Amino acid sequence: MALTLRPLKPGIYPAGVFPIPDGERTFCVGREPGNDLVVDHASVSARHARIEVAGEAGVEVVDCGSSKGTFVNGIRVERRQIRPGDLLRFATAEFRVSGTDGETATRKLNGGAAPVVAPGSGDDGERAAMKIAFQEEREALKREISRLIGENGRFEAESTGLREKLAAAEARAIALGERVEEQGSRLRHLQRDLEEVAARESRLQASLSEARREVIEREGVIAGLRYEIGTKEKQVRQLEEQRSGLQRICDDHAAAGVRWQESWADLSTRHEAAIADRLAAEGRAADLLARLGDLEVRLLSDWQAWIESGSLPERPAGGPAADPAADATTLFQRIEATAAEIRGQLDLIEPIWHQYGDGVQAELARRTDQRRTDLDGVEAEIARRREALAAIEADLTQFRETMDAEVRRAQGLSRKGIEVEIPERFESMVIAKDREQEIYRALIERLEVLDLLLEGYRGSRKLREVAQELTAFRNRLVAILESGGVRPFEIATGTFLTPKHRCEVQVLSRKGWGTRQYSETPFQPGEVVKVVRPGYRVGEGDAAVILRKVEVLIRGGED
């Protein structure tokens, strides 16, 4: 069965119908004049699609890679068979597929290509297309009537030759007249039905246009919402990147604090080890000097009867233990002089030794054995007392740890945040002042870093939880400082600085016009115009210690 394509908007697309007759053939559809079906519209590609007629296999539409696409009943297709009643659309150009007999389609195709009409006004073009369709239907009915009239003529000619069959011929003529009347009535009914269908189709087309307009408007609204969503997502990503950068800065500060504490602990351990080594060396030197002095005393006591009293250097009035480091050189000189005198006396005793030496050696051996026995007893006593001393030191270490914990609790310092070293001197049981002040200064610096971070986080909803955690940590640092007696203080704006403010005020000057960076300058009198950073001190009254001076700008130094 042959098909025809009828445009749904003749005012925009070509008017008339495009016939697709039976028989194997291919029709090209596009915007260029060389196509079989020319649709002169900007949305249609130059070579948009082709219609393939395959005889009994049917008619198929094939998209030729168009940019706007080819649609059958609203579905985009690459290749699809079309049938009467389908809605075929090339980009925005819509056609209704309808069926017709082969003779009419062949005459239309042979008579010329489908007409191409440029876009015009909507109602006039649509009425023109409907008139053309009505005229085609009327011509078909006229041809049918002509055929019937011809048959009637042949019957009249036969009735002239066959008068005997006149009655029958007249009856047939009357029947044919009635049939003509019936056909005319059917034609009028069909025409009325066609007009109603055209009106209904016009109303449906108007409703479809309104629905399409609403769809286009809603697609515009959706596109705007998608753009806004993309913008918001971009802002969220930027805020997330800022939060990640600030988190990295916090992590870097925390890591730097941990490294600083580790390096400080390592330096403190090395310093204590060096002090212990120095004290041990000094103790060994003092012990050596004392033993040398005792050796001198024993030598003199053993050989005082043999050595003349005026032959040796005189000993200092304070004795050998008065100042061993200062008298080391004199001590060695005295020992060398004593050894020289003893060697001289031994030279005199040597002949006597050869005569009585054996008996003396036996006596010396006996006394040596007795001394060794006494020495073994003394060493055993020393070992026993060392064990007792180790037990006492273990108890003392445990007691020190207990007192260390009590001192930390009394000071109100968190073992998690700050490590405080207790000096080895058990008698004092207080934190070293210099070390305590360093810890307070480090806490003040950490507190100011947290204030800067909180100032940046305060305007961000995304980082509200991080700001709350930092605020809680800052409050803990403030509580630690307040428990240690650390208080901030400032100088009122308009105060005129005098030399008495030197110990608690640091004068600054800007590094350049319009910058927030400052550099320290020597103290000088002047009127305070701005407080850059507050100061901190620990204690009250005359016993207060300035941990950091108040940093101010004075008149003349603010520009």
Side-chain angles (χ1 to χ4, degrees):
M1 181 180 66
L3 302 177
T4 58
L5 301 182
R6 185 184 304 279
L8 295 183
K9 293 185 178 180
I12 300 178
Y13 307 111
V17 295
F18 180 78
I20 304 175
D22 295 334
E24 295 185 358
R25 187 177 174 184
T26 300
F27 300 94
C28 296
V29 181
R31 192 177 64 250
E32 292 183 349
N35 293 284
D36 297 307
L37 174 57
V38 179
V39 182
D40 190 9
H41 195 269
S43 64
V44 180
S45 300
R47 185 175 176 83
H48 195 97
R50 65 178 182 270
I51 300 173
E52 297 180 353
V53 184
E56 296 181 356
V59 181
E60 292 183 346
V61 61
V62 181
D63 187 77
C64 296
S66 61
S67 60
K68 301 297 183 179
T70 301
F71 300 82
V72 175
N73 296 325
I75 301 174
R76 185 166 183 170
V77 298
E78 298 295 332
R79 175 184 287 271
R80 176 67 65 85
Q81 187 174 10
I82 58 176
R83 299 180 179 85
D86 289 344
L87 182 63
L88 179 61
R89 178 160 61 94
F90 306 103
T92 59
E94 296 181 335
F95 295 84
R96 174 69 69 180
V97 181
S98 60
T100 183
D101 56 347
E103 181 182 359
T104 304
T106 303
R107 268 199 313 272
K108 185 64 179 178
L109 184 62
N110 294 336
V116 178
V117 181
S121 61
D123 296 337
D124 295 339
E126 187 174 358
R127 283 195 295 271
M130 292 176 63
K131 288 180 179 180
I132 291 172
F134 294 154
Q135 289 174 4
E136 290 176 356
E137 295 291 336
R138 188 179 293 110
E139 290 294 330
L141 293 175
K142 285 181 179 180
R143 285 192 296 272
E144 181 69 17
I145 293 172
S146 299
R147 184 179 63 79
L148 295 175
I149 292 173
E151 290 180 358
N152 189 19
R154 285 195 300 274
F155 285 130
E156 288 180 356
E158 289 179 358
S159 66
T160 302
L162 302 173
R163 294 186 180 275
E164 63 276 11
K165 298 180 180 180
L166 180 59
E170 289 179 354
R172 291 178 61 186
I174 293 172
L176 288 175
E178 292 176 354
R179 186 177 177 184
V180 169
E181 290 294 332
E182 183 180 357
Q183 292 292 333
S185 178
R186 288 182 60 189
L187 178 61
R188 287 190 294 274
H189 284 295
L190 289 175
Q191 188 171 1
R192 284 196 301 271
D193 293 340
L194 183 61
E195 290 177 355
E196 292 177 358
V197 168
R200 186 166 57 253
E201 185 176 1
S202 177
R203 290 193 299 271
L204 291 175
Q205 188 66 29
S207 300
L208 181 61
S209 300
E210 183 67 21
R212 286 178 180 171
R213 185 182 62 78
E214 292 180 359
V215 169
I216 292 173
E217 291 178 355
R218 291 181 181 179
E219 288 179 351
V221 174
I222 292 172
L225 292 176
R226 287 177 178 173
Y227 175 76
E228 292 181 0
I229 290 172
T231 304
K232 297 297 183 182
E233 289 178 350
K234 183 177 180 182
Q235 293 177 357
V236 169
R237 287 195 297 271
Q238 291 177 353
L239 292 175
E240 186 66 24
E241 292 175 357
Q242 293 178 1
R243 187 195 69 80
S244 300
L246 294 174
Q247 185 64 39
R248 286 194 296 272
I249 293 174
C250 292
D251 295 339
D252 293 341
H253 282 293
V258 171
R259 290 194 298 272
W260 176 82
Q261 292 178 359
E262 291 176 353
S263 62
W264 177 258
D266 182 55
L267 290 174
S268 300
T269 304
R270 290 167 58 187
H271 178 65
E272 291 177 357
I275 291 175
D277 293 340
R278 182 176 64 81
L279 294 176
E282 290 178 354
R284 289 194 296 271
D287 183 58
L288 180 60
L289 291 175
R291 291 172 62 186
L292 289 175
D294 294 339
L295 177 61
E296 179 196 8
V297 171
R298 288 197 300 272
L299 289 174
L300 291 177
S301 63
D302 292 339
W303 293 87
Q304 63 182 352
W306 304 86
I307 299 174
E308 296 180 1
S309 59
S311 61
L312 297 176
E314 295 182 358
R315 293 174 56 84
D323 191 1
D327 298 340
T329 304
T330 305
L331 178 61
F332 283 114
Q333 291 176 357
R334 291 199 306 272
I335 292 174
E336 289 177 356
T338 303
E341 290 293 333
I342 292 173
R343 282 195 295 272
Q345 294 298 326
L346 288 176
D347 291 338
L348 297 176
I349 297 173
E350 187 176 2
I352 301 172
W353 177 261
H354 288 298
Q355 183 177 359
Y356 303 102
D358 294 336
V360 173
Q361 285 184 355
E363 180 65 21
L364 287 175
R366 184 184 66 78
R367 292 187 179 184
T368 300
D369 292 338
Q370 184 178 0
R371 294 290 185 270
R372 284 177 178 172
T373 302
D374 297 339
L375 181 60
D376 291 339
V378 172
E379 288 179 352
E381 182 66 20
I382 290 173
R384 184 180 62 79
R385 295 197 176 188
R386 281 180 178 172
E387 292 177 356
L389 180 60
I392 293 173
E393 288 179 350
D395 295 339
L396 182 59
T397 301
Q398 183 178 3
F399 183 67
R400 283 179 176 174
E401 292 177 354
T402 303
M403 293 302 296
D404 182 11
E406 291 297 326
V407 170
R408 289 176 187 274
R409 185 178 64 79
Q411 291 290 334
L413 301 177
S414 174
R415 190 179 290 273
K416 178 180 178 182
I418 306 158
E419 293 294 333
V420 179
E421 295 181 0
I422 300 300
E424 292 299 326
R425 292 181 57 194
F426 174 76
E427 293 80 8
S428 60
M429 291 306 297
V430 294
I431 300 174
K433 293 297 182 182
D434 293 339
R435 172 63 174 160
E436 180 179 310
Q437 293 173 11
E438 284 185 13
I439 292 172
Y440 287 152
R441 291 189 182 96
L443 289 176
I444 292 169
E445 292 178 0
R446 184 66 58 83
L447 183 63
E448 291 178 346
V449 170
L450 290 175
D451 289 336
L452 291 176
L453 291 176
L454 287 172
E455 184 178 359
Y457 288 176
R458 196 164 283 121
S460 174
R461 296 182 179 177
K462 189 77 174 178
L463 306 177
R464 185 175 299 170
E465 296 181 359
V466 178
Q468 292 177 357
E469 294 178 0
L470 291 178
T471 302
F473 182 68
R474 180 190 180 280
N475 294 335
R476 289 199 297 270
L477 291 182
V478 172
I480 291 172
L481 292 173
E482 290 178 353
S483 65
V486 179
R487 298 289 186 274
F489 68 97
E490 294 184 359
I491 299 296
T493 303
T495 302
F496 191 88
L497 299 180
T498 60
K500 70 177 183 179
H501 296 96
R502 185 187 300 272
C503 62
E504 59 184 10
V505 176
Q506 173 64 55
V507 179
L508 302 180
S509 63
R510 293 187 188 272
K511 288 188 176 181
W513 184 86
T515 182
R516 298 179 64 180
Q517 298 180 354
Y518 305 92
S519 59
E520 298 181 357
T521 59
F523 181 86
Q524 55 182 333
E527 181 183 359
V528 177
V529 296
K530 182 179 180 181
V531 177
V532 179
R533 285 202 306 179
Y536 285 87
R537 59 188 169 199
V538 58
E540 298 292 338
D542 297 334
V545 177
I546 303 298
L547 298 177
R548 194 184 67 194
K549 297 180 179 180
V550 182
E551 296 179 354
V552 300
L553 289 175
I554 62 175
R555 189 172 301 281
E558 70 275 16
D559 297 331

